[in-house]
Amino acid sequence: MLRGNRLRAAALLAACAWLLAGCQPGTAGNGKEEAVAPHAAPELREYMRQVEQWRARRIENLRAADGWLSYTGSGRLRPGRFSVGSGPGNDIQLPGGPSRLGTLHLDRDGRAVLEGVSGSGATVNGRPLDRTELVAGIVAEREATRVRLGAAEFYLVRTGKLTNWRYRDPDAPMRSRFRGVEHFPVDLRWRVVADWQPFATPREVTLLTSIGTPLQAMVPGEAVFTVEGRTFRLQPVVYEKDPEWFIPFVDRTSGKESYGGARYLFTAPARDGKLVLDFNRAENPPCALTPHVVCPIAPPSNRLDLAVTAGEKNYLPQ
């Protein structure tokens, strides 16, 4: 049952099926919205409105100056000494900024120190770059030290035992070329209220990223739900500083209509023995949008033998 009592749920499903018979896939972000039948149930109309609002916020965040589309450079680093800058001949050649930024020293323990050159114009925490330790960012655990280069920024990240660099620029061409993401039609049947089955003790799991590096995470339990008479399970990942639960999953559409590595669901924590899985809000991971980031892929426990025809489709750059 999707929400409320059985009669109310049946009425909503009937309205949804009637509505979707005449709908085309929505493409929020490029000015189009899915049609809503004028006589649809008020609950369905409100749900459609909420999903469209979510899509609009999602596209706005992607287009933002600090959104995923603003990345223009990245690379992997091994321990050593590297010249950094946009000019030819640098070991780390940035896509923008000063011709010579400085020299980066990275030791085997992952400690990084950047020695800036005079006149680069770069700053760290509002002060001119001198000799600065660059703390690498770690997903959901700590922020990176940002080297500001005008409106752009250079910083380091850690994925497992690997150190990588990133360059982000609000003038990135991808931001201006972006025309939105295609979606499957909104279908209320894909807003699933699953039974929540907590583990006696949260389990530590290892997620692999899109480049094969490990990420440690905690799983507090699993969501159990039924689609067309078949039972499925999904395990959310919980990070201490994140108020939402994170579910990377693949399904029968993955690698075809949707992105192959995973799609992501972000949910509120379980409440009263239930967990809402709104697949209409399933989204592409950042690495589906840009080659300059690394993303967790779906673990074996979250591989569904089911075609989830809801949420975002595979992103094809314009």
Side-chain angles (χ1 to χ4, degrees):
M1 186 167 63
L2 297 175
R3 59 171 73 173
N5 58 44
R6 283 188 173 87
L7 290 176
R8 183 170 171 228
L12 289 177
L13 287 175
C16 188
W18 175 80
L19 165 66
L20 294 175
C23 282
Q24 297 297 320
T27 51
N30 58 11
K32 298 180 181 178
E33 294 185 357
E34 294 183 26
V36 180
H39 302 297
E43 295 90 344
L44 177 59
R45 292 178 62 85
E46 174 61 17
Y47 178 71
M48 294 282 289
R49 185 187 68 81
Q50 291 175 1
V51 173
E52 289 295 342
Q53 286 183 340
W54 174 83
R55 289 180 179 179
R57 288 194 301 270
R58 161 89 168 142
I59 298 302
E60 181 181 355
N61 290 337
L62 290 175
R63 284 193 174 123
D66 60 351
W68 295 117
L69 300 173
S70 65
Y71 285 95
T72 58
S74 63
R76 187 179 300 182
L77 294 172
R78 299 183 183 278
R81 179 178 181 274
F82 309 96
S83 57
V84 185
S86 62
N90 283 292
D91 301 314
I92 301 175
Q93 188 166 2
L94 305 179
S99 176
R100 186 85 162 85
L101 176 63
T103 301
L104 178 67
H105 302 264
L106 178 67
D107 67 22
R108 295 186 179 277
D109 295 325
R111 182 173 182 268
V113 174
L114 179 61
E115 296 181 357
V117 299
S118 177
S120 70
T123 62
V124 175
N125 297 324
R127 298 180 179 179
L129 172 65
D130 190 1
R131 187 180 189 276
T132 303
E133 181 175 355
L134 297 186
V135 175
I138 299 178
V139 174
E141 291 185 17
R142 72 182 184 204
E143 285 292 322
T145 303
R146 310 279 171 148
V147 180
R148 304 289 179 179
L149 307 166
E153 60 184 18
F154 167 77
Y155 65 96
L156 305 181
V157 295
R158 291 279 290 182
T159 53
K161 295 183 179 180
L162 296 181
T163 301
N164 304 270
W165 64 269
R166 300 280 185 269
Y167 190 88
R168 177 181 261 173
D169 185 352
D171 292 327
M174 284 187 66
R175 289 188 62 217
S176 59
R177 292 200 303 260
F178 184 61
R179 295 294 178 269
V181 182
E182 281 198 61
H183 303 79
F184 290 98
V186 176
D187 189 335
L188 189 58
R189 289 169 294 186
W190 285 115
R191 184 189 182 277
V192 176
V193 179
D195 291 324
W196 176 245
Q197 297 183 355
F199 298 144
T201 303
R203 300 174 184 175
E204 186 173 7
V205 298
T206 301
L207 300 179
L208 294 180
T209 70
S210 50
I211 61 172
T213 52
L215 288 175
Q216 300 306 121
M218 299 300 294
V219 174
E222 58 186 8
V224 181
F225 60 99
T226 301
V227 175
E228 296 178 351
R230 299 170 63 201
T231 299
F232 301 93
R233 298 170 184 269
L234 285 175
Q235 295 183 355
V237 173
V238 174
Y239 292 103
E240 183 178 351
K241 296 182 180 181
D242 196 332
E244 291 187 306
W245 288 3
F246 167 51
I247 306 177
F249 74 95
V250 294
D251 64 279
R252 287 290 185 180
T253 72
S254 302
K256 301 171 185 176
E257 295 167 284
S258 65
Y259 185 68
R263 283 188 290 169
Y264 292 172
L265 273 183
F266 295 92
T267 74
R271 183 176 180 181
D272 298 329
K274 301 294 181 181
L275 185 67
V276 176
L277 306 174
D278 193 344
F279 290 102
N280 290 299
R281 303 187 190 207
E283 62 186 59
N284 286 312
C287 53
L289 304 165
T290 173
H292 298 302
V293 296
V294 174
C295 306
I297 62 176
S301 60
N302 287 354
R303 296 173 183 172
L304 299 175
D305 184 19
L306 168 72
V308 179
T309 53
E312 291 185 353
K313 293 185 175 182
N314 203 4
Y315 173 66
L316 300 176
Q318 287 83 6

